[in-house]
């Protein structure tokens, strides 16, 4: 997917829609992806092609970048799914490394999303195949059956049945000339399609049929149907009338010639997750602090109203049910927090300046949060067992800090923590990763810098996604997760601004973000000095590094 994105943007540069400097973050992300993707390495190794031949360079001409990108797409894409599936089958058949299995499974799922399979379809198919009580282990036959669901069939068509008020369904029928039925009895009598008897219950309701939708899966078919409904919804807004949209949430989707439909929730298929798990812990205090500030300055005075415009825009974005509208509105909330869009004397695009302010705030607690979130993610029984261990073997002001000091002390402590996790492979793997992180300040610092790069790339992707929606009317298969990331980033940013307000009484967002960037820069410099200090032992480095990250982390 990243290669296709780079190819599309090379075309935009060549047609002078965007400047060449816009390619740099995309090229850097593609280079990192090619370098770290084990599936790509296996494919190129089998073909005898060196990785350097398909790796673009930001200092090359746009034509050269495009040529390498197209070569990479032609070599890698056709056999990516097959290679993933083969490695997963071999690994399960030989009871191989669980870490390797996890890595290739993640790459496989990301590839499926890039092929426009809906993430709910991937999730439900996996649940259906791999959570049966009768399964003792994952067999090759079971895996092959699972993989068969994700073959891209060019003749994969769906029919979507929707139910709504008779008035609105008749309006849609008049606009699009679609099939409508009074109830499920009439539908079954004329089409033989089976729908539960309670589907069209209620006064003055009718069934609307959308046939011949070409899509990878039933959830994607509902997404397409929703786009069609969005056209009529928009016209009803532009030309107000007494007619209101009235379509039930449940849809029934039929694959090919199948007469049995499967229920799909429209809101669940289209919605962006706003789970409480993605919200910063200080969101409540932020709400109190900003509300108090707004009341104290209700007659004007110090501060900047950009913050309140941003909060209003974010709230408006959250109330929308359309992810494209959500992302456009949410980006306006980000822009309200930042200085007026201008170019500096070097001609740097404003997104580069925005990233220089936003990234430090998002990255400031990256390493400590890895330890904190691990303990918070455990169920009650496991968390109780882990807390007993880290309170006995570690020290600090939080569970995360105590866990970090416990793991940094010895491998025996890591095994002790792992023993409290009821042999959960995924949790034990996370403990192993945290142990490695606590043992190597150099690796932790490298991960901190790499995380800042990923955040910068993601902000650029959010910005490009927003621009594509506004200027081209297009969106990528990753619109939902991109929008979810944008919501999470805004919440984290709001919590950081609240901390600055509480500590320094700085209310102007631009100034507050500059303070955070300065603190984060100082933290990284001091962490680098600890890592490079030759006068202290490795054990002292680990202790000082962890203590500094937790005690002095930016805000």
């Amino acid at each position: 997917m990243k290669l296709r994105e780079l190819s599309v943007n090379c075309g935009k540069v060549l047609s002078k829609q965007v400047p060449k400097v816009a390619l740099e973050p995309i090229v850097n992300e593609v280079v990192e992806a090619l370098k770290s993707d084990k599936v790509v390495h296996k494919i190129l190794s089998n073909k005898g092609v060196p990785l350097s031949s398909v790796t673009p360079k930001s200092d090359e001409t746009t034509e050269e970048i495009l040529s390498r990108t197209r070569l990479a797409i032609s070599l890698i894409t056709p056999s990516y799914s097959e290679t993933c599936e083969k490695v997963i089958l071999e690994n399960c058949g030989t009871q191989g490394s669980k870490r390797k299995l996890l890595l290739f499974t993640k790459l496989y799922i990301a590839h499926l999303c890039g092929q426009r399979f809906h993430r709910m379809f991937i999730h439900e198919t996996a649940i259906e195949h791999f959570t049966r009580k009768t399964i003792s282990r994952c067999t090759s036959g079971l895996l092959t059956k699972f993989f068969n669901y994700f073959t891209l069939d060019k003749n994969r068509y769906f029919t979507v049945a929707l139910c709504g008020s008779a008035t609105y369904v008749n309006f849609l029928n008049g606009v699009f000339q679609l099939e409508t039925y009074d109830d499920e009895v009439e539908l079954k009598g004329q089409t033989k399609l089976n729908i539960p008897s309670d589907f069209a219950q209620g006064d003055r309701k009718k069934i609307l049929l959308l046939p011949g939708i070409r899509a990878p899966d039933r959830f994607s078919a509902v997404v397409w149907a929703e786009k069609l409904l969005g056209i009529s919804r928009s016209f009803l807004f532009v030309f107000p009338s007494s007619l209101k949209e009235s379509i039930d949430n449940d849809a029934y989707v039929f694959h090919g010639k199948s007469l049995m439909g499967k229920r799909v929730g429209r809101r669940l298929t289209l919605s962006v997750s706003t789970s409480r798990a993605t919200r910063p812990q200080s969101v409540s205090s932020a709400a109190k602090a900003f509300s108090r500030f707004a009341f104290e300055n209700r007659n004007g005075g110090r501060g900047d109203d950009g913050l309140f415009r941003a909060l209003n825009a974010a709230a408006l974005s959250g109330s929308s049910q359309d992810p494209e509208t959500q992302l456009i509105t949410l980006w306006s909330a980000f822009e309200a927090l930042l200085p007026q869009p201008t170019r500096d004397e070097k001609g740097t695009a404003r997104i580069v300046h925005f990233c220089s302010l936003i990234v430090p705030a998002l990255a400031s607690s990256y390493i400590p949060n890895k330890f904190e979130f691990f303990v918070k993610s455990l169920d009650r029984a496991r968390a109780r067992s882990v807390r007993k261990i880290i309170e006995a073997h570690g020290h600090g002001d939080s569970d995360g800090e105590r866990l970090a000091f416990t793991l940094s002390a010895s491998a025996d402590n890591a095994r002790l923590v792992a023993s409290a996790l009821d042999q959960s492979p995924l949790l034990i793997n996370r403990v192993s990763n945290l142990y490695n992180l606590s043992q190597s300040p150099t690796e932790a610092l490298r991960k901190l810098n790499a995380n800042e790069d990923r955040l910068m790339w993601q902000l650029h992707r959010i910005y490009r996604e927003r621009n594509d929606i506004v200027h081209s009317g297009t969106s990528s298969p990753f619109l939902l997760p991109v929008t979810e990331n944008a919501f999470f980033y805004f919440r984290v940013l709001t919590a950081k601004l609240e901390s600055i307000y509480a500590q320094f009484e700085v209310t102007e967002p631009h100034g507050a973000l500059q303070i955070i960037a300065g603190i984060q820069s100082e933290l990284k410099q001091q962490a680098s000095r600890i890592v490079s200090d030759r006068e202290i032992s490795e054990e002292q480095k680990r202790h000082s590094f962890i203590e500094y990250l937790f005690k002095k982390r930016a805000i």
Side-chain angles (χ1 to χ4, degrees), residues 356-370:
S356 69
L357 292 173
I358 296 175
V359 168
L362 300 178
S364 62
S365 302
Y366 174 68
I367 299 295
N369 283 348
K370 278 185 169 292

Side-chain angles (χ1 to χ4, degrees), residues 142-329:
L142 192 63
L143 277 169
T144 302
K145 186 178 180 182
F146 173 75
F147 293 148
N148 287 340
Y149 277 86
F150 302 104
T151 55
L152 281 174
D153 183 0
K154 294 182 179 179
N155 298 315
R156 188 175 289 189
Y157 289 94
F158 295 86
T159 297
V160 176
L162 301 168
C163 177
S165 71
T167 304
Y168 190 66
V169 170
N170 288 335
F171 162 72
L172 293 175
N173 181 38
V175 173
F176 299 112
Q177 301 298 305
L178 300 169
E179 301 174 42
T180 62
Y181 302 89
D182 289 334
D183 51 40
E184 83 285 347
V185 176
E186 182 183 1
L187 175 68
K188 185 175 182 180
Q190 295 190 28
T191 67
K192 297 184 179 180
L193 298 177
N194 287 291
I195 290 181
S197 58
D198 60 352
F199 181 59
Q201 280 190 349
D203 295 336
R204 295 183 57 76
K205 285 200 171 183
K206 295 186 75 171
I207 296 173
L208 178 72
L209 216 58
L210 303 175
I213 298 176
R214 184 174 166 181
D217 56 73
R218 61 183 180 274
F219 294 94
S220 300
V222 171
V223 171
W224 185 93
E226 188 64 23
K227 288 183 177 180
L228 184 67
L229 295 176
I231 297 173
S232 59
R233 187 187 306 124
S234 300
F235 274 104
L236 287 177
F237 174 78
V238 175
F239 303 103
S241 69
S242 58
L243 183 63
K244 302 295 181 184
E245 179 187 20
S246 179
I247 296 290
D248 293 353
N249 177 54
D250 286 347
Y252 276 85
V253 186
F254 303 85
H255 176 213
K257 296 181 180 180
S258 171
L259 300 180
M260 293 298 297
K262 289 194 174 183
R263 187 179 67 84
V264 175
R266 290 170 55 227
R267 283 190 292 272
L268 185 63
T269 302
L270 299 163
S271 66
V272 170
S273 171
T274 54
S275 166
R276 288 184 182 272
T278 66
R279 298 182 182 178
Q281 294 299 308
S282 60
V283 68
S284 178
S285 63
K288 294 176 182 177
F290 288 140
S291 299
R292 184 172 64 252
F293 169 74
F295 181 77
E296 291 172 353
N297 294 274
R298 59 191 180 277
N299 296 321
R302 61 183 186 140
D304 185 274
D305 63 352
L307 174 62
F308 303 111
R309 291 200 309 272
L311 293 171
N312 288 334
L316 180 62
S317 175
S319 66
S320 172
Q321 295 184 0
D322 173 47
E324 291 186 355
T325 303
Q326 286 181 320
L327 188 61
I328 294 170
T329 310

Side-chain angles (χ1 to χ4, degrees), residues 101 112 118 140 181 276 294 307 336 364 376 399 402 431 464 468 491 493 504 519 524 530 549:
L101 178 63
L112 293 179
H118 198 282
S140 59
Y181 302 89
R276 288 184 182 272
L307 174 62
S364 62
K376 290 176 182 177
D399 285 336
R402 287 187 284 272
V431 170
R464 289 196 302 272
D468 284 343
R491 291 188 180 112
L493 212 56
F504 305 102
I519 294 174
K524 288 174 61 180
I530 293 173
L549 282 184

